[in-house]
Amino acid sequence: MKRTIALALGLMMAAPAIHADDALTEAVKADYDKHLDALFKDFHANPELSFVEHETAKKLAAELKAAGFKVTTGIGGTGVVAIMKNGDGPMVMMRADMDGLPVEEKSGLAYASKATQEDRNGNLMPVMHACGHDVHVTSLIGTARRMAAMKDKWSGTLMLIGQPAEEVVGGARAMMDAGIYKTFGKPDMALAFHVASGYEAGYIDVSDASPYSGSDTVEITVHGIGAHGAAPHHGKDPVVIASEIVMALQTLVSRTLGPYEPGVVTVGLFQAGTKANIISDHAELGLSVRSDNPETRKKLFDGIVNIAEGIGRANGLPEDLLPTVRLAVESTPPTMNNPELAQRLRKLWTSEFGPEMVGNKPKDNMGAEDFPFFTTDPAIPSVYFQIGGTPKEDFERAAAGGEPVPSHHSPLFKVSPEPAVRRGVEATVTALLDLMPKK
């Protein structure tokens, strides 16, 4: 049955709020104690890299099937789609990403990962859930179990997504390329959340606008003319030229964008040479470029090209050896929340969990997500929210000069799983009950 955005927005405005009561909180706690705690620790201790999440996907699929969902695996590689039809009503999607990172864990946790794994290129890497995707998949399972147990309280079709390869911003696109909406139906609304080490455990943050920026990986090959290290005047040194490019790029944002127009250009990769006394004939730069709209994205990319080529010319490179600038495949548009849906859920969660545990804080970085591949084309009203994962006392200790709270992607990263997983389940279930009222 074809559904439209207008229908979805109408449901947003018309559906009555359904309040979670103590019974939901108690049920989620009991499920965490008996089932989800062990699952989380297993996921955390056994992470897998992007697009090779075979065991994670198998465990997730088994849990969702046991909860009563119709489960399909191998979507876009290792993706999982679970469907539960429960009468007439909207189709709502909830997504969780499931890949880990090539990081050696140094958190000191009793269940810390010691895993290594070959990536898709055959490189053996340490693996860690250094971004909290173990919280996401555990919460998705908890949500599935609660929604299955509460079928008398909602109506519609629930679509749960276990997505691979968010860390390389490729998994959502791969699942869309596999035609999931043609196969399973296009959702009327979509939800996702990310655990956040920078927020107090159990806190919910939901933005009316863009919780995540767009991200592009830009690669620059700086061509040169090789020579002996003792005779640099016989060549064109790509290390020197690339170094000038790196320093010039530091002015791009401040001198190209307006003071209230966010953008980031980070040079995270610089590779050149094989030996100290050899001037190489090329150097490679890898850039992470962040923007919140297409206009800013074009300004930054054009500026990168102008700087790279201009510095090449200034160093006497011929036109056929000017630096080559190209966009890599790791790109994703900004994540844009639907304002009406975000405001509705914030009001609901404020009522349920208290105003001190729900907010709309301005973002302080330009992290990116590939969730918008699910919601941009076709356009689907969606909300991506944050769940805090760090105990309040850890922030207090850090403020007093103690150990700082580890950031995402750090080998020291850790969250407090129980309050994060439980609030993830409670917030998601409360939202789904509100968006899929019983007919």
Side-chain angles (χ1 to χ4, degrees):
M1 175 175 157
K2 188 174 179 181
R3 298 173 175 87
T4 64
I5 295 174
L7 168 63
L9 292 175
L11 287 166
M12 290 179 210
M13 303 305 296
I18 297 176
H19 299 288
D21 54 23
D22 290 342
L24 175 60
T25 300
E26 292 170 2
V28 173
K29 177 173 175 19
D31 201 28
Y32 187 88
D33 292 342
K34 295 178 182 178
H35 194 71
L36 300 180
D37 176 63
L39 268 179
F40 171 82
K41 290 174 180 174
D42 182 50
F43 283 131
H44 186 89
N46 298 285
E48 295 179 292
L49 294 169
S50 302
F51 282 124
V52 287
E53 312 93 337
H54 301 293
E55 292 302 315
T56 303
K58 185 186 299 184
K59 294 171 188 175
L60 176 60
E63 290 288 337
L64 297 178
K65 185 175 181 180
F69 284 74
K70 183 178 179 180
V71 179
T72 305
T73 59
I75 307 297
T78 53
V80 178
V81 176
I83 301 290
M84 179 172 284
K85 295 183 178 180
N86 188 34
D88 295 333
M91 173 182 277
V92 181
M93 184 185 91
M94 179 66 195
R95 169 272 211 172
D97 41 12
M98 56 186 180
D99 53 329
L101 283 159
V103 175
E104 181 181 358
E105 182 162 1
K106 300 177 182 178
S107 67
L109 293 169
Y111 49 87
S113 169
K114 297 179 176 62
T116 59
Q117 186 183 28
E118 285 191 1
D119 65 15
R120 289 195 299 167
N121 298 317
N123 302 308
L124 185 65
M125 309 293 290
V127 195
M128 175 189 175
H129 270 303
C131 204
H133 297 186
D134 45 357
V135 172
H136 305 170
V137 290
T138 307
S139 295
L140 190 74
I141 292 167
T143 294
R145 289 163 64 87
R146 285 302 94 220
M147 293 299 287
M150 302 172 71
K151 291 177 71 173
D152 60 327
K153 298 184 182 299
W154 60 277
S155 183
T157 300
L158 179 56
M159 173 190 285
L160 302 182
I161 300 286
Q163 183 211 304
E166 185 278 330
E167 295 294 356
V168 297
V169 293
R173 178 161 38 193
M175 294 188 78
M176 289 297 287
D177 288 346
I180 60 169
Y181 293 166
K182 291 180 181 177
T183 302
F184 304 103
K186 181 175 78 70
D188 296 302
M189 291 165 277
L191 303 175
F193 82 83
H194 205 297
V195 67
S197 67
Y199 292 149
E200 179 183 343
Y203 178 83
I204 304 172
D205 189 81
V206 55
S207 170
D208 290 348
S210 174
Y212 284 97
S213 299
S215 172
D216 290 295
T217 296
V218 178
E219 299 170 341
I220 304 176
T221 298
V222 181
H223 307 286
I225 299 174
H228 195 292
H233 57 294
H234 289 163
K236 295 292 183 182
D237 191 340
V239 172
V240 172
I241 298 170
S243 298
E244 291 182 21
I245 292 171
V246 171
M247 296 310 297
L249 288 173
Q250 306 312 304
T251 67
L252 180 56
V253 170
S254 65
R255 293 299 178 266
T256 302
L257 306 184
Y260 294 101
E261 184 178 3
V264 168
V265 177
T266 294
V267 182
L269 181 148
F270 192 142
Q271 294 178 340
T274 59
K275 196 172 184 291
N277 65 347
I278 299 174
I279 293 176
S280 177
D281 63 358
H282 74 283
E284 300 290 340
L285 299 177
L287 285 61
S288 181
V289 182
R290 309 297 171 116
S291 57
D292 278 354
N293 58 66
E295 294 75 24
T296 301
R297 180 176 185 259
K298 185 177 188 305
K299 288 180 189 176
L300 293 177
F301 185 75
D302 289 347
I304 292 167
V305 173
N306 291 337
I307 286 172
E309 292 184 351
I311 290 175
R313 291 189 179 98
N315 279 274
L317 290 177
E319 289 294 309
D320 63 343
L321 284 182
L322 291 180
T324 305
V325 183
R326 59 194 176 276
L327 277 171
V329 296
E330 290 188 19
S331 297
T332 183
T335 302
M336 303 299 296
N337 281 350
N338 177 274
E340 292 85 0
L341 183 54
Q343 291 161 17
R344 173 178 173 171
L345 293 182
R346 187 185 307 112
K347 182 178 179 181
L348 172 70
W349 288 329
T350 299
S351 173
E352 294 304 320
F353 306 116
E356 72 283 357
M357 295 305 291
V358 182
N360 179 14
K361 296 182 179 181
K363 64 183 182 182
D364 64 356
N365 63 73
M366 298 192 74
E369 249 285 349
D370 69 351
F371 180 65
F373 283 109
F374 289 122
T375 61
T376 302
D377 184 18
I380 296 171
S382 63
V383 168
Y384 195 113
F385 55 102
Q386 312 281 340
I387 298 289
T390 300
K392 183 178 181 180
E393 53 267 26
D394 286 9
F395 290 112
E396 294 172 345
R397 184 165 51 251
E403 179 183 343
V405 174
S407 72
H408 292 249
H409 291 216
S410 161
L412 303 176
F413 175 82
K414 58 183 176 182
V415 296
S416 184
E418 181 173 356
V421 170
R422 286 177 54 190
R423 185 49 52 87
V425 176
E426 291 168 354
T428 305
V429 170
T430 302
L432 292 173
L433 294 178
D434 188 71
L435 299 175
M436 307 170 77
K438 187 67 177 179
K439 296 294 185 180

